[in-house]
Amino acid sequence: MFDWFVLPFTLGLVFLLGFIAWKFTSWIKSLTQEDQEKLVKSLATRKTLVSIREIISESLLHRKIFKTNRMLGYMHMSLAFGWLLLILAGNLESRIFNHGEMGPPYVPIFFRFFHPNPEIFRFHQEFSFLMDLLLVFVLSGVALAYYKRLNSKFLGLKKTTKHVMGDRIALTALWFIFPLRLLAESFSSGAFGGGSFLTSTTGSFLNSFLPSEILYYPFWLAYSSALGMFFVALPFSRYMHIPTETLLIVLRNAGIKEQKSHTGFTDVELNSCSRCGICIDSCQLSSAAAINNVQSVYQLRDIRYNTVDQDRSLNCLMCGRCDQACPVGIDIAAIRQIKRNELNPGMKEEYSYVHPAKAQQADVVYFAGCMSHLTPSIKHSVVQSFKKGGINFWFMDETESICCGRPLLLAGKSEEAKALMQKNKTAIEQSHAKALVTNCPICYKMFKNEYGLDIPVYHHSQYFAGLIENNLMQLEKQNITAVYHDPCELGRGSNVYKEPRKVLNQALTLISAEEEGEKSLCCGGSLGNTTISTEQRNKITQDACDTLLKQNPDVLITSCPLCKKTFQKVSDVPVYDLAEIVNGAIVINTKNKSKANQNSKIIKKELLEEEISNQTYPD
Amino acid sequence: MSKKVLIIGAGVAGLEASGVLSKLGYNVTIVEESDRIGGKLNRWSHLFPSRRPASEVLEHLQLNLDPNTVIITNSKITDIAVKDTSIEASLNTGKHIDADAVLISTGFELFDAKKKEEYGYQIYENVITSADLEKIFKEGKELTTSKGKAPKRIGIIHCVGSRDEKVGNTYCSKVCCVTGVKQAIEIKEHLSSCEVFNFYMDLRMYDRHFEDLYQEAQVKHHVQFIRGRLSEAFENPDGTVMVKVEDTLLGKPMKMNLDLVVLLVGMTAGNNSLFKKQLRLETGTDKFLVPADEHFKSVSSKQKGVFFAGACTGPKTIENTITEARAAALEIAGYLKN
């Protein structure tokens, strides 16, 4: 069974399989030694089953995209799952027909060409019906894809991705494959009979005014050519994500992660991006500041094709909202960070003039951080709360402050960051403290993940929550309503969502914000972005603030000095840090109650109103 | 029947324009948000550069007011619309006003120093604003630290809320530099042994006699001027404030303990949302109202029958405001004659 028209398909398929084999091998080879061992160990274990389940639910059924938008999910599922079923059913049909023989791979694909009306075969009607049904399923997805180009909002996407040349070729081929298959099968049916409810109907319709006997061959050739073109263009297009995502799932389930520098895993992640564009809609640079060429989809694309622009790499808030939204689960922030490290070869470090303060012996080290020195109400409140709670602490950066190192790290200058970190680390160790507390989520993330300290590191919200839980601290409930803003570095960055709410619920009434928890917006003040203009930043801040204040709370509360400072610029209601609330509502015990109230700046409703009116008519 | 003009805001611009319009034979109604006329002039003790008492200027403005002028205080415009050739406005008191032209002379708001939190206003005991200092002078009170002692060293910080991208105001407020020089001299006159330091980025002594005042401060009163922007202020246990600043002329970072810190707060735009929404007036990136033409229609808006005077279109001195108010009055008269 052979005809010359099958060549484009067959050659394309051979090329594609060869290419995938070569790429997969080279990626696995460029994994670190440790990761390769992890991969080998994970094979043929329970992890394999987990991978298979995930491949079915994500690569075929696209469960996560369904969660974002049902129509978009259906589109992806009908194309991926529908196509696979078409291949499987076609294979089965061809096998039964050929009495179990496999034959060359093009046989099931072009079955209707070779056997337009296979009446000799037992389940031929059922198979004809099934194949037509699956074709309708796939074609409905193709129709949605056409429509998505015209109206992306219908599929839940405000913006759709701009494509590269390889994408356009592959996309065009993909768009033609199934309509051509429909026409080819229809003409065969028109000329020789056969087919089911779809192909036989369209076949007799077309045959009524077109010469099917002449047209069927060119359409089978066109169908084969479209398939061949798609296979050849696939490795150079976003459709490389189809095979690569399966490898990504296997590697991820083996426990392999992004490292500090580019590895084979990074390549696998880059090629797993389908450029669906879901990350564009989650990006505040796009929604609030009209910056549309820096989003993760473009960053990953530029890294993959080696066309990275430094300014665009740095124009990102590193807020992590796209990480959260990515249906493939690519570790986008880590990949951007790797690129930044490569783009910033570093400078000669000169920190000999920086001296940490002389270490003092204490139970707790308190580190305020640079941003808290610019928001003195916060450090003041933390210190007062500690004093009221009788905590034996050393305010490490009270007068001599050294940066925690995060801004340098985010800018890709990891060696310089290390030099600063060592100075802080030495001072912390010399204090022999049992815990480190900081009120800055940026510092918190650094101390916790990068310093390798032997003592626990707490964000002040966690520390206060612990004190309250152990009855070492009590808060008095005030009659005010508040919205809590999750800072990126604390929420998505460090997974601390519960403790701040636990503390605040003791002191006031929290109302929920529109976008909170994992979906929390970035305040716009992020240290991660070094190229954005102030005007664009302000737009992001205004937009985030408007969203937070939709329920008209009395106050806006956050637990990051940078977020506080950023929101203060635009907020119509007072902005406080969690520490200020704690300090205002703190009750040590009933005996000292009056004293505590006297000492603290209590935020009572009347005071607030005065403050609000002062903002409208300043003195 | 003579034509009617509605003036919004009874500050320097509104009062001066009202006087001129009355003389030209128009009926004037002034709507004022606060309980008295004179606007922010009420808060000044003495004016730069001549050191003339502010009360004198206010008195002059009041004398020029026509007895038939209707002044409605404690009232706010809630709705305003241009209808053919007339203007209709409603007040929060339920009152309605019809007029043939409207003058917006709503002035400015002081920058809220709490927004520059790193300087510690209302957090540290010994940090005050230039407006607070002026009030102390006006009320004839002693200038003391929070503990009631005479300060030995005072720092005056320029450009608080002006020329500062971080607070979103990139423009110069024009009047603070000379105010800082004037107040430094006044401090020295009250407390001759007190050291006074002005921390500035640039000293913009642009107008007549400003430079003289600057000379006087240095030569006669030995006020010290340090070029450098404050990075941070820190409260010492004794209540004094340690400031961190880079002396950019010496090229060295420095720290200094001060008994009292005075923040020279700049001007910010008032709330123009009503005008933007209902009169479709434009505001610039600095949030101040934008006139129809920067050279030739600086007191007209793009909306027919709506005019501007004073700091609602950007920071201005009192002299400039008075000149503009007169120009606006003549522009309105010209408009109403046609």
Side-chain angles (χ1 to χ4, degrees), chain A residues 370 373-380 395 398-401 534-535 538 564-565 568-571 580 601 611 614-619, chain B residues 33 40 43 76 109-110 112 114-120 122-124 131 135 165-168 231-235 244 255 271 285:
Chain A
C370 328
H373 289 302
L374 299 181
T375 46
S377 57
I378 302 178
K379 60 175 179 179
H380 177 82
F395 189 166
E398 185 172 16
T399 51
E400 302 295 331
S401 52
T534 311
E535 202 187 334
N538 289 345
K564 181 190 170 186
K565 200 153 176 53
Q568 261 178 335
K569 269 201 280 192
V570 300
S571 173
E580 294 174 83
K601 289 177 185 166
E611 201 155 336
N614 274 345
Q615 285 190 340
T616 331
Y617 321 103
D619 218 347
Chain B
E33 265 187 4
K40 298 196 181 55
R43 303 181 192 172
K76 245 176 144 170
E109 299 292 350
L110 272 182
D112 179 7
K114 283 190 301 242
K115 288 191 177 171
K116 196 75 189 161
E117 202 184 317
E118 54 266 50
Y119 295 169
Q122 292 193 351
I123 301 166
Y124 303 154
K135 196 176 169 203
E165 270 208 351
K166 283 189 188 162
V167 298
S231 64
E232 203 179 307
F234 167 84
E235 192 173 47
K244 287 185 185 171
K255 288 176 187 173
N271 185 355
T285 48

Side-chain angles (χ1 to χ4, degrees), chain A residues 554-586:
Chain A
D554 294 331
V555 295
L556 172 58
I557 299 172
T558 184
S559 51
C560 167
L562 183 52
C563 293
K564 181 190 170 186
K565 200 153 176 53
T566 308
F567 279 130
Q568 261 178 335
K569 269 201 280 192
V570 300
S571 173
D572 292 330
V573 302
V575 186
Y576 292 108
D577 184 90
L578 178 135
E580 294 174 83
I581 303 299
V582 167
N583 187 37
I586 208 162

Side-chain angles (χ1 to χ4, degrees), chain B residues 30-318:
Chain B
I30 310 179
V31 175
E32 167 60 35
E33 265 187 4
S34 73
D35 57 354
R36 59 177 169 169
I37 62 168
K40 298 196 181 55
L41 192 52
N42 286 306
R43 303 181 192 172
W44 284 87
S45 166
H46 290 83
L47 304 176
F48 61 78
S50 63
R51 316 272 307 276
R52 182 183 192 173
S55 55
E56 226 179 272
V57 175
L58 186 56
E59 232 165 75
H60 199 278
L61 288 168
Q62 279 170 321
L63 277 177
N64 270 353
L65 278 182
D66 189 275
N68 293 322
T69 304
V70 181
I71 299 174
I72 309 168
T73 53
N74 287 322
S75 298
K76 245 176 144 170
I77 307 271
T78 53
D79 284 291
I80 187 161
V82 179
K83 300 234 165 101
D84 294 325
T85 55
S86 74
I87 282 144
E88 288 172 22
S90 314
L91 305 186
N92 58 344
T93 53
K95 217 174 178 136
H96 294 280
I97 300 170
D98 288 333
D100 301 293
V102 60
L103 176 68
I104 297 175
S105 52
T106 46
F108 65 95
E109 299 292 350
L110 272 182
F111 174 74
D112 179 7
K114 283 190 301 242
K115 288 191 177 171
K116 196 75 189 161
E117 202 184 317
E118 54 266 50
Y119 295 169
Y121 184 59
Q122 292 193 351
I123 301 166
Y124 303 154
E125 289 174 1
N126 288 305
V127 178
I128 62 173
T129 66
S130 45
D132 298 334
L133 181 63
E134 203 64 35
K135 196 176 169 203
I136 293 170
F137 289 144
K138 190 174 166 63
E139 290 171 356
K141 285 185 187 158
E142 275 300 302
L143 179 59
T144 62
T145 65
S146 61
K147 295 202 168 77
K149 285 185 190 155
K152 289 194 184 106
R153 195 185 261 178
I154 296 179
I156 298 179
I157 318 298
H158 288 235
C159 294
V160 177
S162 306
R163 302 178 67 197
D164 186 352
E165 270 208 351
K166 283 189 188 162
V167 298
N169 299 342
T170 49
Y171 55 88
C172 166
S173 292
K174 278 173 146 185
V175 302
C176 338
C177 276
V178 65
T179 303
V181 172
K182 181 200 76 129
Q183 291 188 335
I185 293 173
E186 288 169 333
I187 293 169
K188 289 295 273 188
E189 285 172 350
H190 281 82
L191 305 158
S192 58
S193 63
C194 176
E195 285 182 287
V196 180
F197 295 88
N198 281 50
F199 297 91
Y200 69 97
M201 292 203 288
D202 297 295
L203 280 172
R204 300 193 161 175
M205 297 294 145
Y206 63 95
D207 220 345
R208 203 175 176 195
H209 305 308
F210 285 13
E211 193 70 23
D212 299 338
L213 207 63
Y214 175 39
Q215 281 283 331
E216 187 192 329
Q218 293 174 90
V219 176
K220 193 171 162 195
H221 301 284
H222 309 291
V223 174
Q224 305 238 33
F225 289 85
I226 296 172
R227 197 184 82 179
R229 192 156 203 161
L230 221 66
S231 64
E232 203 179 307
F234 167 84
E235 192 173 47
N236 293 315
D238 65 354
T240 58
V241 181
M242 184 180 76
V243 293
K244 287 185 185 171
V245 65
E246 184 189 353
D247 185 328
T248 55
L249 291 179
L250 292 177
K252 277 185 179 162
M254 59 179 281
K255 288 176 187 173
M256 188 188 270
N257 283 321
L258 298 165
D259 297 325
L260 192 66
V261 174
V262 180
L263 306 176
L264 282 170
V265 282
M267 293 188 181
T268 60
N271 185 355
N272 290 315
S273 55
L274 182 79
F275 302 138
K276 276 173 87 166
K277 215 175 175 178
Q278 300 195 358
L279 294 176
R280 291 188 299 281
L281 299 182
E282 282 172 35
T283 52
T285 48
D286 57 7
K287 298 189 180 114
F288 286 96
L289 290 162
V290 177
D293 183 293
E294 54 180 355
H295 291 108
F296 302 106
K297 287 186 173 168
S298 58
V299 291
S300 306
S301 75
K302 284 185 181 159
Q303 180 67 254
K304 201 179 62 173
V306 181
F307 299 86
F308 301 134
C312 63
T313 52
K316 281 181 194 79
T317 60
I318 292 172

Side-chain angles (χ1 to χ4, degrees), chain A residues 480-487 500-501 504-505 508-517 520-521 544-559 567 571 573-578 581:
Chain A
I480 44 177
T481 59
V483 153
Y484 173 68
H485 165 75
D486 289 288
R501 290 179 169 81
L504 291 172
N505 274 325
L508 39 74
T509 310
L510 272 184
I511 23 184
S512 55
E514 201 164 277
E515 308 255 331
E516 62 178 357
S520 169
L521 294 166
C545 192
D546 290 347
T547 310
L548 280 165
L549 298 182
K550 265 187 192 159
Q551 309 283 330
N552 293 320
D554 294 331
V555 295
L556 172 58
I557 299 172
T558 184
S559 51
F567 279 130
S571 173
V573 302
V575 186
Y576 292 108
D577 184 90
L578 178 135
I581 303 299

Side-chain angles (χ1 to χ4, degrees), chain A residues 40 124 191 201 307 318 347 394 408 436 439 450 466 592:
Chain A
V40 173
H124 82 275
T201 315
T307 54
M318 304 292 266
M347 52 192 178
W394 170 46
L408 280 171
L436 175 79
N439 62 282
E450 310 286 339
N592 290 343

